[in-house]
Amino acid sequence: MVAVERVESLAKSGIVSIPKEYIRPKEELESINDVFLEEKKEDGPQVPTIDLQNIESDDPKIRESCIEELKKASLDWGVMHLINHGIPLDLMERVKKAGEEFFSLPVEEKEKYANDQATGKIQGYGSKLANNACGQLEWEDYFFHLAYPEGKRDLSLWPKTPRDYIEATSEYAKCLRLLATKVFKALSISLGLEPDRLEKEVGGLEELLLQMKINYYPKCPQPELALGVEAHTDVSALTFILHNMVPGLQLFYEGKWVIAKCVPDSIVMHIGDTLEILSNGKFKSILHRGLVNKEKVRVSWAVFCEPPKDKIVLKPLPEMVSAECPAKFPPRTFAQHIEHKLFGNEQEELVSEKKD
């Protein structure tokens, strides 16, 4: 296995300028600004905050109003801060503490968990290799593993240190799985479908996979030249994100990059490509990226809810297609969709499309 230089090691080496492989193209650099100044801005569009307190209320009017808010955010933004989401706050803190403790281990300790993308071993500790859209590197290290269903996990790949990592992450994945069901149900109802329809379409309880990716963005000496994660849309059905309250997530909304403010005790939720396809483009899978900074390490915990790779053909639901609104997406398995995004120049099309 070829040794990969970790971004953390690079950041701690005392460099004052970043290697050229991390410098973004000129056209991107024009839009990369100071993340802390961006977060302070009060004007302009703001990522919506959705209160899920009443998503299963017995009062139909109150429940419908909550579902309507969720629908509006999904149609307009495709990303939102969820509050009163039902996940215990102390459990969220345990998950964050365990992840931060793992990343505070020496790099050589973390290397014991290194993945090896060349041999298809994608779970484990890693850094982005230069196979992305423009052959460039991103300012992040990460840890990736399947978190749910329990029968499909391989705990031998999970961090043994700290001791609470496996227990906290397992419990959190179970809670997120229940939250995903609530969201799928509300979104199905909002489209006029049977409540269990969207969840069935993405694999149901047995087949929907929850993939955990802890993103670790070290301090960067030249944050105005780099990105933690380049612009992309998520391939998932839904993505749930925790973070350590350091801003960095940016959304491409109405032709401009908008920073997501840090909302205490919230979970950020993205609508992914899978739901955009099933809804025939009604729900938005928004283009987003990650900024870095020179003052604070940023950590985020993203859980991607994904359909099985080959068992399901994703295409717009018949109820979402009409003569006035023909199907916008060809039928593809999830694996084919990923392949198409990686090798079909779709990202470039997406950026220009979403800028029009």
Side-chain angles (χ1 to χ4, degrees):
M1 193 166 86
V2 184
V4 178
E5 178 160 37
R6 302 303 174 193
V7 178
E8 181 188 354
S9 305
L10 198 55
K12 286 180 174 170
S13 68
I15 56 165
V16 289
S17 56
I18 62 175
K20 66 178 190 317
E21 309 86 82
Y22 292 93
I23 298 174
R24 306 307 300 179
K26 188 169 172 290
E27 62 276 11
E28 263 188 301
L29 292 176
E30 292 163 9
S31 68
I32 299 176
N33 299 315
D34 181 294
V35 68
F36 298 111
L37 293 177
E38 289 289 312
E39 204 209 9
K40 287 193 178 87
K41 284 184 182 170
E42 292 300 334
D43 57 331
Q46 305 287 343
V47 175
T49 295
I50 303 298
D51 189 340
L52 293 185
Q53 178 96 49
N54 297 313
I55 198 161
E56 294 184 311
S57 168
D58 292 335
D59 183 322
K61 273 207 165 62
I62 294 175
R63 187 175 66 242
E64 281 159 23
S65 161
C66 181
I67 290 173
E68 192 53 39
E69 289 295 305
L70 181 67
K71 178 187 183 180
K72 199 167 144 230
S74 302
L75 295 173
D76 185 26
W77 279 84
V79 64
M80 60 210 77
H81 303 283
L82 301 180
I83 57 171
N84 293 316
H85 39 65
I87 309 256
L89 300 181
D90 62 333
L91 177 60
M92 286 163 53
E93 288 310 311
R94 277 174 63 203
V95 168
K96 292 201 272 190
K97 185 168 181 275
E100 284 175 333
E101 280 185 30
F102 172 76
F103 271 96
S104 69
L105 294 171
V107 168
E108 51 276 17
E109 196 57 37
K110 295 192 286 266
E111 287 294 354
K112 294 176 184 172
Y113 298 92
N115 63 10
D116 185 9
Q117 298 201 2
T119 60
K121 185 191 167 212
I122 57 168
Q123 296 192 67
Y125 174 58
S127 306
K128 191 68 173 264
L129 303 177
N131 62 351
N132 50 1
C134 40
Q136 281 180 306
L137 297 175
E138 297 163 314
W139 197 262
E140 75 149 348
D141 299 323
Y142 63 82
F143 197 99
F144 178 78
H145 64 80
L146 176 67
Y148 196 89
E150 292 180 353
K152 291 185 163 80
R153 310 175 305 180
D154 183 350
L155 292 179
S156 72
L157 303 171
W158 293 31
K160 312 285 180 291
T161 308
R163 287 224 305 259
D164 194 37
Y165 184 90
I166 290 176
E167 195 180 318
T169 306
S170 300
E171 188 57 34
Y172 177 62
K174 271 197 274 194
C175 291
L176 269 190
R177 187 62 190 83
L178 294 171
L179 177 59
T181 290
K182 282 184 198 176
V183 172
F184 283 134
K185 189 175 171 184
L187 291 175
S188 293
I189 293 166
S190 81
L191 290 176
L193 303 167
E194 287 297 313
D196 62 350
R197 181 68 181 281
L198 285 175
E199 186 161 46
K200 272 186 185 162
E201 294 287 344
V202 295
L205 276 175
E206 285 72 40
E207 297 291 346
L208 186 75
L209 304 175
L210 270 59
Q211 312 269 18
M212 165 70 90
K213 185 178 179 224
I214 308 176
N215 300 295
Y216 183 87
Y217 307 101
K219 295 175 194 175
C220 180
Q222 293 179 298
E224 69 285 357
L225 299 181
L227 285 175
V229 175
E230 67 182 14
H232 66 286
T233 61
D234 288 355
V235 292
S236 58
L238 296 170
T239 306
F240 295 101
I241 303 169
L242 293 180
H243 53 78
N244 65 338
M245 293 298 285
V246 175
L249 173 64
Q250 262 193 332
L251 302 308
F252 195 69
Y253 181 76
E254 294 186 342
K256 289 193 174 67
W257 286 105
V258 176
I259 199 89
K261 293 191 186 305
C262 294
V263 177
D265 303 335
S266 69
I267 295 177
V268 174
M269 185 183 82
H270 281 274
I271 300 282
D273 297 350
T274 297
L275 284 191
E276 183 174 66
I277 291 166
L278 292 172
S279 69
N280 199 26
K282 288 184 171 61
F283 293 150
K284 300 285 176 291
S285 179
I286 196 167
L287 196 67
H288 56 285
R289 67 184 186 183
L291 298 188
V292 289
N293 73 83
K294 59 167 72 170
E295 293 152 51
K296 294 178 178 177
V297 169
R298 180 168 182 262
V299 189
S300 70
W301 289 255
V303 174
F304 304 96
C305 302
E306 297 181 351
K309 282 209 156 43
D310 301 301
K311 286 185 181 175
I312 292 171
V313 173
L314 294 174
K315 60 178 192 231
L317 298 174
E319 297 90 334
M320 300 294 110
V321 177
S322 63
E324 304 76 54
C325 192
K328 296 177 179 175
F329 306 92
R332 288 192 182 106
T333 63
F334 188 60
Q336 287 166 338
H337 176 66
I338 294 171
E339 191 85 355
H340 177 72
K341 283 190 81 160
L342 283 176
F343 305 110
N345 292 326
E346 190 171 291
Q347 289 310 103
E348 287 81 357
E349 291 161 26
L350 208 55
V351 177
S352 57
E353 227 177 75
K354 298 202 175 195
K355 281 181 179 170
D356 290 343

mmCIF file of all heavy atoms in Angstrom, residues 13 57 80 85 107 123 125 128 145 147 154 179 181 194 219-220 227-229 243 276 297 332:
data_model
loop_
_atom_site.group_PDB
_atom_site.id
_atom_site.type_symbol
_atom_site.label_atom_id
_atom_site.label_comp_id
_atom_site.label_asym_id
_atom_site.label_seq_id
_atom_site.Cartn_x
_atom_site.Cartn_y
_atom_site.Cartn_z
ATOM 1 N N SER A 13 3.269 20.553 10.199
ATOM 2 C CA SER A 13 4.704 20.586 9.857
ATOM 3 C C SER A 13 5.268 22.002 9.899
ATOM 4 O O SER A 13 6.464 22.207 9.735
ATOM 5 C CB SER A 13 4.916 19.997 8.461
ATOM 6 O OG SER A 13 4.344 20.865 7.487
ATOM 7 N N SER A 57 -47.428 14.812 15.615
ATOM 8 C CA SER A 57 -48.467 15.289 16.543
ATOM 9 C C SER A 57 -49.806 14.602 16.265
ATOM 10 O O SER A 57 -50.133 14.280 15.123
ATOM 11 C CB SER A 57 -48.630 16.802 16.383
ATOM 12 O OG SER A 57 -49.788 17.240 17.041
ATOM 13 N N MET A 80 -31.288 21.897 5.549
ATOM 14 C CA MET A 80 -31.917 22.617 6.665
ATOM 15 C C MET A 80 -31.270 22.216 7.983
ATOM 16 O O MET A 80 -30.624 21.165 8.088
ATOM 17 C CB MET A 80 -33.418 22.309 6.703
ATOM 18 C CG MET A 80 -33.737 20.842 6.896
ATOM 19 S SD MET A 80 -35.290 20.324 6.113
ATOM 20 C CE MET A 80 -34.866 20.205 4.381
ATOM 21 N N HIS A 85 -35.297 17.251 17.110
ATOM 22 C CA HIS A 85 -35.255 16.101 16.196
ATOM 23 C C HIS A 85 -35.399 14.766 16.926
ATOM 24 O O HIS A 85 -35.491 13.715 16.292
ATOM 25 C CB HIS A 85 -33.931 16.115 15.420
ATOM 26 C CG HIS A 85 -32.774 16.539 16.272
ATOM 27 N ND1 HIS A 85 -32.324 15.809 17.346
ATOM 28 C CD2 HIS A 85 -32.011 17.662 16.219
ATOM 29 C CE1 HIS A 85 -31.314 16.453 17.922
ATOM 30 N NE2 HIS A 85 -31.099 17.582 17.257
ATOM 31 N N VAL A 107 -0.885 10.435 14.418
ATOM 32 C CA VAL A 107 -1.180 9.964 13.054
ATOM 33 C C VAL A 107 -0.799 8.495 12.889
ATOM 34 O O VAL A 107 -1.551 7.704 12.311
ATOM 35 C CB VAL A 107 -0.482 10.847 11.987
ATOM 36 C CG1 VAL A 107 -0.551 10.199 10.610
ATOM 37 C CG2 VAL A 107 -1.140 12.222 11.934
ATOM 38 N N GLN A 123 -13.451 1.418 3.654
ATOM 39 C CA GLN A 123 -13.711 1.770 5.053
ATOM 40 C C GLN A 123 -12.391 2.015 5.782
ATOM 41 O O GLN A 123 -11.395 1.368 5.507
ATOM 42 C CB GLN A 123 -14.501 0.662 5.751
ATOM 43 C CG GLN A 123 -15.900 0.455 5.171
ATOM 44 C CD GLN A 123 -16.776 -0.436 6.044
ATOM 45 O OE1 GLN A 123 -17.148 -0.062 7.150
ATOM 46 N NE2 GLN A 123 -17.100 -1.617 5.546
ATOM 47 N N TYR A 125 -9.532 4.900 7.838
ATOM 48 C CA TYR A 125 -8.925 6.234 7.918
ATOM 49 C C TYR A 125 -8.349 6.595 6.555
ATOM 50 O O TYR A 125 -7.664 5.771 5.940
ATOM 51 C CB TYR A 125 -7.824 6.172 8.974
ATOM 52 C CG TYR A 125 -6.961 7.392 9.145
ATOM 53 C CD1 TYR A 125 -7.507 8.631 9.473
ATOM 54 C CD2 TYR A 125 -5.570 7.299 9.019
ATOM 55 C CE1 TYR A 125 -6.690 9.740 9.672
ATOM 56 C CE2 TYR A 125 -4.744 8.395 9.223
ATOM 57 C CZ TYR A 125 -5.316 9.625 9.546
ATOM 58 O OH TYR A 125 -4.509 10.712 9.744
ATOM 59 N N LYS A 128 -8.270 12.302 0.794
ATOM 60 C CA LYS A 128 -8.722 12.298 -0.606
ATOM 61 C C LYS A 128 -7.538 12.109 -1.548
ATOM 62 O O LYS A 128 -6.537 12.796 -1.445
ATOM 63 C CB LYS A 128 -9.425 13.630 -0.900
ATOM 64 C CG LYS A 128 -10.164 13.668 -2.224
ATOM 65 C CD LYS A 128 -11.359 12.737 -2.203
ATOM 66 C CE LYS A 128 -12.208 12.892 -3.438
ATOM 67 N NZ LYS A 128 -13.338 13.776 -3.259
ATOM 68 N N HIS A 145 -17.001 4.516 7.656
ATOM 69 C CA HIS A 145 -17.421 3.115 7.864
ATOM 70 C C HIS A 145 -18.942 2.986 7.805
ATOM 71 O O HIS A 145 -19.673 3.946 8.043
ATOM 72 C CB HIS A 145 -16.891 2.562 9.198
ATOM 73 C CG HIS A 145 -17.434 3.246 10.420
ATOM 74 N ND1 HIS A 145 -18.675 2.962 10.938
ATOM 75 C CD2 HIS A 145 -16.904 4.203 11.231
ATOM 76 C CE1 HIS A 145 -18.883 3.708 12.019
ATOM 77 N NE2 HIS A 145 -17.832 4.474 12.216
ATOM 78 N N ALA A 147 -22.350 2.146 9.305
ATOM 79 C CA ALA A 147 -22.790 2.208 10.702
ATOM 80 C C ALA A 147 -24.082 1.428 10.972
ATOM 81 O O ALA A 147 -24.375 1.076 12.117
ATOM 82 C CB ALA A 147 -22.990 3.667 11.106
ATOM 83 N N ASP A 154 -18.929 -4.071 10.026
ATOM 84 C CA ASP A 154 -17.725 -4.817 10.370
ATOM 85 C C ASP A 154 -17.009 -4.038 11.478
ATOM 86 O O ASP A 154 -16.229 -3.122 11.217
ATOM 87 C CB ASP A 154 -16.811 -4.966 9.146
ATOM 88 C CG ASP A 154 -15.568 -5.802 9.450
ATOM 89 O OD1 ASP A 154 -15.325 -6.097 10.646
ATOM 90 O OD2 ASP A 154 -14.836 -6.137 8.506
ATOM 91 N N LEU A 179 -35.102 8.505 12.984
ATOM 92 C CA LEU A 179 -35.344 9.862 12.484
ATOM 93 C C LEU A 179 -35.542 9.840 10.965
ATOM 94 O O LEU A 179 -36.431 10.508 10.434
ATOM 95 C CB LEU A 179 -34.175 10.787 12.864
ATOM 96 C CG LEU A 179 -34.247 12.230 12.342
ATOM 97 C CD1 LEU A 179 -35.510 12.937 12.831
ATOM 98 C CD2 LEU A 179 -33.001 13.018 12.757
ATOM 99 N N THR A 181 -36.784 7.474 9.164
ATOM 100 C CA THR A 181 -38.142 6.972 8.891
ATOM 101 C C THR A 181 -39.170 8.094 9.040
ATOM 102 O O THR A 181 -40.052 8.257 8.197
ATOM 103 C CB THR A 181 -38.485 5.795 9.841
ATOM 104 O OG1 THR A 181 -37.688 4.672 9.463
ATOM 105 C CG2 THR A 181 -39.949 5.395 9.743
ATOM 106 N N GLU A 194 -48.365 7.471 -0.370
ATOM 107 C CA GLU A 194 -48.574 6.690 0.855
ATOM 108 C C GLU A 194 -47.414 6.967 1.813
ATOM 109 O O GLU A 194 -46.261 7.090 1.355
ATOM 110 C CB GLU A 194 -48.609 5.185 0.522
ATOM 111 C CG GLU A 194 -49.872 4.728 -0.181
ATOM 112 C CD GLU A 194 -51.113 4.905 0.677
ATOM 113 O OE1 GLU A 194 -51.070 4.516 1.867
ATOM 114 O OE2 GLU A 194 -52.116 5.448 0.180
ATOM 115 N N LYS A 219 -6.302 23.049 10.659
ATOM 116 C CA LYS A 219 -6.075 24.475 10.391
ATOM 117 C C LYS A 219 -5.267 24.586 9.097
ATOM 118 O O LYS A 219 -4.371 23.773 8.861
ATOM 119 C CB LYS A 219 -5.294 25.122 11.529
ATOM 120 C CG LYS A 219 -6.041 25.151 12.845
ATOM 121 C CD LYS A 219 -5.140 25.704 13.931
ATOM 122 C CE LYS A 219 -5.704 25.439 15.313
ATOM 123 N NZ LYS A 219 -4.777 25.868 16.374
ATOM 124 N N CYS A 220 -5.591 25.593 8.297
ATOM 125 C CA CYS A 220 -4.929 25.745 6.997
ATOM 126 C C CYS A 220 -4.229 27.100 6.927
ATOM 127 O O CYS A 220 -4.862 28.136 7.173
ATOM 128 C CB CYS A 220 -5.976 25.642 5.884
ATOM 129 S SG CYS A 220 -5.287 25.823 4.229
ATOM 130 N N LEU A 227 -9.968 24.265 -0.342
ATOM 131 C CA LEU A 227 -11.297 23.833 0.104
ATOM 132 C C LEU A 227 -11.133 22.558 0.921
ATOM 133 O O LEU A 227 -10.270 21.722 0.630
ATOM 134 C CB LEU A 227 -12.219 23.551 -1.083
ATOM 135 C CG LEU A 227 -12.787 24.761 -1.839
ATOM 136 C CD1 LEU A 227 -13.579 24.285 -3.052
ATOM 137 C CD2 LEU A 227 -13.669 25.631 -0.942
ATOM 138 N N GLY A 228 -11.977 22.413 1.958
ATOM 139 C CA GLY A 228 -11.987 21.163 2.722
ATOM 140 C C GLY A 228 -12.628 20.063 1.885
ATOM 141 O O GLY A 228 -12.156 18.936 1.832
ATOM 142 N N VAL A 229 -13.729 20.419 1.237
ATOM 143 C CA VAL A 229 -14.406 19.507 0.304
ATOM 144 C C VAL A 229 -14.859 20.345 -0.874
ATOM 145 O O VAL A 229 -15.447 21.413 -0.705
ATOM 146 C CB VAL A 229 -15.648 18.837 0.961
ATOM 147 C CG1 VAL A 229 -16.406 18.004 -0.052
ATOM 148 C CG2 VAL A 229 -15.242 17.950 2.127
ATOM 149 N N HIS A 243 -21.645 18.742 13.758
ATOM 150 C CA HIS A 243 -20.344 19.408 13.609
ATOM 151 C C HIS A 243 -19.921 19.981 14.952
ATOM 152 O O HIS A 243 -20.701 20.001 15.904
ATOM 153 C CB HIS A 243 -20.415 20.505 12.536
ATOM 154 C CG HIS A 243 -21.524 21.487 12.763
ATOM 155 N ND1 HIS A 243 -21.438 22.495 13.690
ATOM 156 C CD2 HIS A 243 -22.758 21.597 12.195
ATOM 157 C CE1 HIS A 243 -22.561 23.190 13.690
ATOM 158 N NE2 HIS A 243 -23.390 22.663 12.793
ATOM 159 N N GLU A 276 -33.991 13.477 -4.955
ATOM 160 C CA GLU A 276 -34.228 14.408 -6.066
ATOM 161 C C GLU A 276 -34.718 13.615 -7.286
ATOM 162 O O GLU A 276 -35.658 14.028 -7.974
ATOM 163 C CB GLU A 276 -32.948 15.183 -6.417
ATOM 164 C CG GLU A 276 -33.185 16.208 -7.524
ATOM 165 C CD GLU A 276 -31.976 17.094 -7.788
ATOM 166 O OE1 GLU A 276 -30.950 16.559 -8.254
ATOM 167 O OE2 GLU A 276 -32.062 18.305 -7.548
ATOM 168 N N VAL A 297 -9.654 23.985 14.113
ATOM 169 C CA VAL A 297 -9.904 22.707 13.435
ATOM 170 C C VAL A 297 -11.421 22.547 13.328
ATOM 171 O O VAL A 297 -12.156 22.829 14.276
ATOM 172 C CB VAL A 297 -9.316 21.535 14.263
ATOM 173 C CG1 VAL A 297 -9.790 20.188 13.725
ATOM 174 C CG2 VAL A 297 -7.785 21.603 14.260
ATOM 175 N N ARG A 332 -31.477 4.378 -13.392
ATOM 176 C CA ARG A 332 -30.115 3.901 -13.078
ATOM 177 C C ARG A 332 -30.131 3.255 -11.711
ATOM 178 O O ARG A 332 -30.861 3.698 -10.832
ATOM 179 C CB ARG A 332 -29.114 5.072 -13.009
ATOM 180 C CG ARG A 332 -28.749 5.717 -14.309
ATOM 181 C CD ARG A 332 -27.549 6.658 -14.125
ATOM 182 N NE ARG A 332 -27.214 7.320 -15.377
ATOM 183 C CZ ARG A 332 -27.476 8.599 -15.627
ATOM 184 N NH1 ARG A 332 -28.046 9.356 -14.735
ATOM 185 N NH2 ARG A 332 -27.149 9.120 -16.793
#
